């Protein structure tokens, strides 16, 4: 029989525990990434693992503590590091993340360095502030690119990224990855005029007139100006 997992059940339980705990003089309920990773690496499957780990910890504190008091702290640190080795492997994804989005990669680096080098709470605050600043940066200076149709002609990809694609002979498509408002309209005008000049230079061998069609999708926050030659 397959057990059904209720979405957000753990979040509801954690939130309720924190709310009720705030009414009494007890320690706040929270999570620990290190202990969670140790639990996962040990092969735990159910919530009973927390009960058994608590019982084992109680036994160590009451009876086995004197036997372990001479154990160096570095040994305990190695145990945690080995349990977190899967998390450290995420560093290998930085190269892929940098290629996908440089801003998202910078957010990851700022959050990682600030929490490790300074403090968890202060590092979290720094990373949140930095992420908010990147939103302003993205809206002020959004990414723009020239699109070209794929094989079927239903999807479009970045022409600079996929060199094998080719544009329509009489249609040029330009994408501006942001909604238009007063803070970035000048940036949009400069980019589209520069792109239009580039298209005009590449099509200078013809004397056909050029028309301009602008289509805007507000839900996806993407603008599609299309330049096409009239016949």
């Amino acid at each position: 029989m397959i057990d059904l997992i209720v979405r957000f059940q753990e979040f509801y339980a954690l939130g309720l525990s924190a709310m009720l705990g705030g009414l009494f003089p007890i320690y706040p309920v929270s999570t620990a990434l290190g202990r969670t990773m140790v639990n996962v690496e040990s092969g735990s499957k159910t919530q009973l693992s927390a009960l058994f780990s608590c019982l084992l910890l109680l036994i160590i504190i009451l009876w086995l503590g004197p036997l372990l008091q001479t154990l160096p702290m570095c040994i305990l640190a190695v145990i945690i590091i080995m349990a977190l080795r899967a998390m450290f492997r995420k560093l290998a994804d930085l190269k892929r993340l940098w290629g996908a989005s440089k801003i998202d990669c910078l957010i990851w680096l700022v959050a990682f360095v600030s929490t490790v080098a300074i403090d968890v709470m202060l590092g979290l605050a720094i990373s949140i502030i930095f992420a908010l600043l990147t939103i302003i940066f993205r809206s002020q200076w959004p990414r723009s690119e020239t699109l070209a149709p794929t094989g079927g002609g239903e999807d479009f990809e970045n022409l600079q990224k996929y060199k094998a694609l080719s544009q329509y002979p009489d249609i040029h498509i330009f994408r501006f990855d942001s909604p238009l408002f007063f803070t970035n309209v000048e940036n949009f005008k400069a980019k589209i005029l520069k792109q239009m000049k580039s298209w005009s230079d590449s099509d200078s061998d013809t004397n056909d007139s050029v028309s301009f069609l602008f289509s805007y999708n507000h839900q996806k926050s993407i603008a599609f100006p299309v330049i096409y030659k009239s016949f």
Side-chain angles (χ1 to χ4, degrees):
M1 182 177 179
I2 301 177
D3 295 331
L4 297 179
I5 299 177
V6 181
R7 295 184 60 190
F8 304 116
Q9 180 178 358
E10 299 295 333
F11 291 104
Y12 291 147
L14 185 61
L16 181 61
S17 301
M19 291 175 59
L20 295 178
L23 303 176
F24 303 94
I26 62 175
Y27 287 105
V29 178
S30 182
T31 58
L33 180 60
R35 297 187 184 93
T36 302
M37 294 302 298
V38 171
N39 206 17
V40 172
E41 291 292 332
S42 301
S44 300
K45 300 297 183 181
T46 65
Q47 295 293 340
L48 290 177
S49 60
L51 176 61
F52 288 113
S53 62
C54 291
L55 292 176
L56 180 60
L57 183 61
L58 181 62
I59 293 173
I60 292 176
I61 293 175
L62 295 179
W63 295 288
L64 300 181
L67 301 178
L68 302 176
Q69 63 181 356
T70 58
L71 191 67
M73 293 296 294
C74 60
I75 302 299
L76 300 177
V78 168
I79 296 175
I80 300 298
I81 292 175
M82 290 301 297
L84 296 177
R85 63 183 184 273
M87 185 181 67
F88 288 117
R89 292 196 191 103
K90 296 294 184 181
L91 293 173
D93 295 337
L94 283 179
K95 183 177 180 181
R96 179 183 58 83
L97 183 59
W98 179 263
S101 175
K102 294 180 175 58
I103 295 180
D104 291 337
C105 184
L106 289 176
I107 294 175
W108 192 99
L109 289 174
V110 169
F112 177 79
V113 173
S114 58
T115 52
V116 172
I118 303 176
D119 183 72
V120 175
M121 295 303 298
L122 185 58
L124 181 61
I126 293 175
S127 58
I128 292 176
I129 294 174
F130 183 78
L132 293 176
L133 291 177
T134 60
I135 296 176
I136 300 175
F137 177 82
R138 292 182 184 185
S139 62
Q140 290 280 70
W141 298 278
R143 182 179 60 182
S144 60
E145 54 194 18
T146 302
L147 302 181
T150 57
E154 297 180 355
D155 297 325
F156 295 85
E157 297 292 347
N158 187 356
L159 185 60
Q160 284 74 27
K161 185 176 181 180
Y162 298 93
K163 302 293 185 181
L165 298 179
S166 59
Q167 292 180 313
Y168 290 118
D170 297 311
I171 299 177
H172 300 288
I173 304 176
F174 173 80
R175 180 167 71 183
F176 191 73
D177 282 346
S178 173
L180 288 177
F181 48 93
F182 69 97
T183 59
N184 64 3
V185 65
E186 293 298 329
N187 185 23
F188 169 75
K189 288 169 58 178
K191 286 187 175 182
I192 190 61
L193 290 176
K194 180 180 178 181
Q195 193 63 50
M196 289 174 64
K197 184 178 184 302
S198 175
W199 289 332
S200 299
D201 294 340
S202 62
D203 298 336
S204 59
D205 55 336
T206 62
N207 296 322
D208 296 334
S209 61
V210 176
S211 301
F212 179 78
L213 173 65
F214 179 80
S215 176
Y216 178 66
N217 188 334
H218 183 270
Q219 293 181 349
K220 295 183 179 180
S221 299
I222 296 176
F224 286 91
V226 180
I227 304 296
Y228 67 98
K229 295 180 182 178
S230 59
F231 297 93

